Amino acid sequence: MRQSILRVGAVTALWLLTGWPAAAHHGGDVEWGKETVGPITGTATKFSFQFPHVFFEMDVAEKGGIAPWTITTRWTPTILRDHGWTRDSIKPGDKVTVTYLPHVEKPHIGQMMTVEVNGQQLPLSF
Amino acid sequence: MRPICALAIVVAVLAAACAPPKSSSGARDFSGHWDRGSSIESFANTPGGTRGNELPGASEAPFTAAGRAAFDANKPGYGPRRAMKRNDPMGRCEPLGLVRNLVAEIVAPHATFEIVQTPTRILQIFEYRHDWREIWLDGRALPTGDALYPKWNGFSVGRFEGDELVVDSAGFDARSWLDKLGYPHSENMRVEERYRRIDADTLELAITITDPEYYTAPWRSDVKRFRANRGKAQRFDEQIYCIPAEEMTYQDLVGTGNVID
């Protein structure tokens, strides 16, 4: 029984993460890869709670140095507000962990699929 | 009879004559918020017009040579021709134009419009970009000659055929696309919309464009269904404008090349 539940959960998660289209409303849906990768963890430097898609920037320790990353969402501020986000959901200095769809051309940009801020998960699947 | 009384009677008679005939069932009342219910996000059931599997019967547009050339020049971010480098007007904060507004191609909850109806005029308010158009029901004709000039949403007049609302439109700015797949239209396009309420919660819309410059025959959309969204009226709207400073930041960030310098 437990295995069946786990199997259903795994299939559902796979559908959510790979089968759910990376929808966008600003003119294209080709920029994101199909496979969710990560997680990566960094320190937030900026949170842009703005249209058309909310995004934030963070510094990630990488190859002995610090790499600046930009992580977008597929949602507008209004939709995220409906699900509990505010413009202070991510603040500079916060420790943020994300899984993401990688950009097809740019190595340090991704579209977040899950996000955890200082150990607290923020809702993204709705 | 006093002159003022006679005038009042004349005004009342004229008002009654100009108002659309009443339907006892309310089938001629299109007021409300309507969400796209169809999975087709393109103007018609064309290849790649849905996000999932292609629907049966998908077929290509009846292009003229000029229409094909205009289609090829449009570089969309969606569908079978999607590419990173594109020139979709949407990504540059340009108005979507009437047909693309009607298609309501945007993801939920933006795939919606509101209809505000009076006896002599309908206001149709499109959620995405907060665009709107008016449909005159007072019996006037579409403008002609110099009075007909290119507008993003054109000029529109409506009439009832039974309980069906028929809207004719003309005068379009050719910079807009018909949909996210990049189907073009000329300034001389004519648009006919047919709206029908098939039950209390469902609105059907079929759109036919006639544009001999770009299409060899009138081209009809799939029958688009919209569901009544009564909850929408209970909250504030999305306020989703296209702000160039924000949109360009995003387009630049994701590298579409669709950036205004």
Side-chain angles (χ1 to χ4, degrees):
Chain A
M1 178 66 178
R2 188 163 177 269
Q3 276 191 332
S4 298
I5 292 171
L6 286 174
R7 197 174 298 125
V8 169
V11 168
T12 304
L14 193 66
W15 176 77
L16 283 172
L17 295 179
T18 62
W20 204 4
H25 60 251
H26 53 269
D29 65 355
V30 72
E31 52 266 35
W32 308 113
K34 304 289 183 208
E35 303 289 334
T36 300
V37 298
I40 58 171
T41 298
T43 303
T45 56
K46 181 182 178 185
F47 183 43
S48 296
F49 200 61
Q50 67 182 44
F51 289 97
H53 298 286
V54 171
F55 67 93
F56 78 97
E57 296 168 20
M58 66 176 176
D59 286 337
V60 178
E62 201 174 279
K63 296 176 184 169
I66 297 292
W69 276 75
T70 302
I71 302 293
T72 74
T73 73
R74 61 192 291 264
W75 305 114
T76 64
T78 312
I79 295 171
L80 290 179
R81 275 195 187 98
D82 282 350
H83 293 85
W85 287 57
T86 72
R87 57 187 173 185
D88 296 321
S89 287
I90 300 175
K91 297 180 289 299
D94 283 345
K95 182 182 170 189
V96 186
T97 299
V98 295
T99 60
Y100 61 97
L101 300 176
H103 192 277
V104 295
E105 292 180 352
K106 298 186 172 188
H108 291 111
I109 297 179
Q111 185 184 71
M112 72 169 77
M113 300 302 286
T114 61
V115 59
E116 213 176 83
V117 180
N118 299 326
Q120 291 287 108
Q121 192 144 20
L122 293 175
L124 270 180
S125 295
F126 28 79
Chain B
M1 183 182 293
R2 291 182 175 180
I4 196 160
C5 293
L7 181 62
I9 291 170
V10 168
V11 167
V13 168
L14 282 174
C18 290
K22 287 196 170 77
S23 165
S24 57
S25 66
R28 292 185 178 186
D29 180 5
F30 295 87
S31 302
H33 293 268
W34 299 97
D35 293 351
R36 175 171 56 78
S38 165
S39 61
I40 294 179
E41 298 178 356
S42 49
F43 166 70
N45 185 14
T46 46
T50 67
R51 288 178 185 272
N53 295 328
E54 193 160 293
L55 295 186
S59 61
E60 195 46 278
F63 286 124
T64 62
R68 169 65 72 178
F71 182 59
D72 289 345
N74 292 342
K75 307 295 184 192
Y78 298 93
R81 304 189 304 137
R82 64 185 179 275
M84 275 298 295
K85 303 301 178 191
R86 48 192 182 252
N87 56 12
D88 187 338
M90 174 188 283
R92 293 187 289 203
C93 287
E94 292 170 11
L96 298 183
L98 177 64
V99 176
R100 199 166 176 183
N101 275 326
L102 292 169
V103 168
E105 66 187 23
I106 319 299
V107 298
H110 316 302
T112 187
F113 56 71
E114 181 179 6
I115 290 176
V116 179
Q117 186 169 343
T118 76
T120 57
R121 191 168 65 139
I122 284 175
L123 299 179
Q124 195 168 17
I125 302 162
F126 304 104
E127 163 79 10
Y128 190 64
R129 303 284 176 81
H130 281 224
D131 201 355
W132 65 283
R133 54 89 71 106
E134 58 189 356
I135 302 167
W136 290 98
L137 301 174
D138 58 358
R140 73 179 65 186
L142 285 171
T144 57
D146 289 343
L148 183 66
Y149 51 84
K151 299 207 303 179
W152 292 106
N153 289 331
F155 297 83
S156 300
V157 295
R159 66 184 189 281
F160 285 90
E161 291 183 3
D163 286 335
E164 194 169 64
L165 172 65
V166 182
V167 182
D168 292 312
S169 302
F172 292 102
D173 192 310
R175 286 175 290 180
S176 59
W177 295 0
L178 296 180
D179 60 21
K180 61 166 67 172
L181 302 189
Y183 287 95
H185 67 82
S186 76
E187 283 191 0
N188 297 319
M189 171 176 70
R190 292 278 178 152
V191 177
E192 181 193 79
E193 299 150 65
R194 288 183 172 268
Y195 294 86
R196 195 165 67 100
R197 291 189 75 157
I198 60 172
D199 58 43
D201 290 324
T202 312
L203 176 68
E204 277 190 354
L205 165 62
I207 310 166
T208 302
I209 65 162
T210 303
D211 189 353
E213 190 176 333
Y214 283 174
Y215 301 98
T216 59
W219 188 25
R220 191 169 189 265
S221 75
D222 57 302
V223 176
K224 301 185 179 301
R225 286 197 168 184
F226 294 83
R227 305 289 299 171
N229 182 344
R230 303 192 196 291
K232 179 84 175 164
Q234 296 166 11
R235 54 165 287 180
F236 288 111
D237 61 4
E238 166 97 47
Q239 284 283 299
I240 184 163
Y241 297 95
C242 193
I243 311 300
E246 295 177 348
E247 185 71 32
M248 293 306 103
T249 297
Y250 190 81
Q251 296 285 333
D252 195 30
L253 177 66
V254 298
T256 64
N258 209 3
V259 175
I260 301 169
D261 292 326

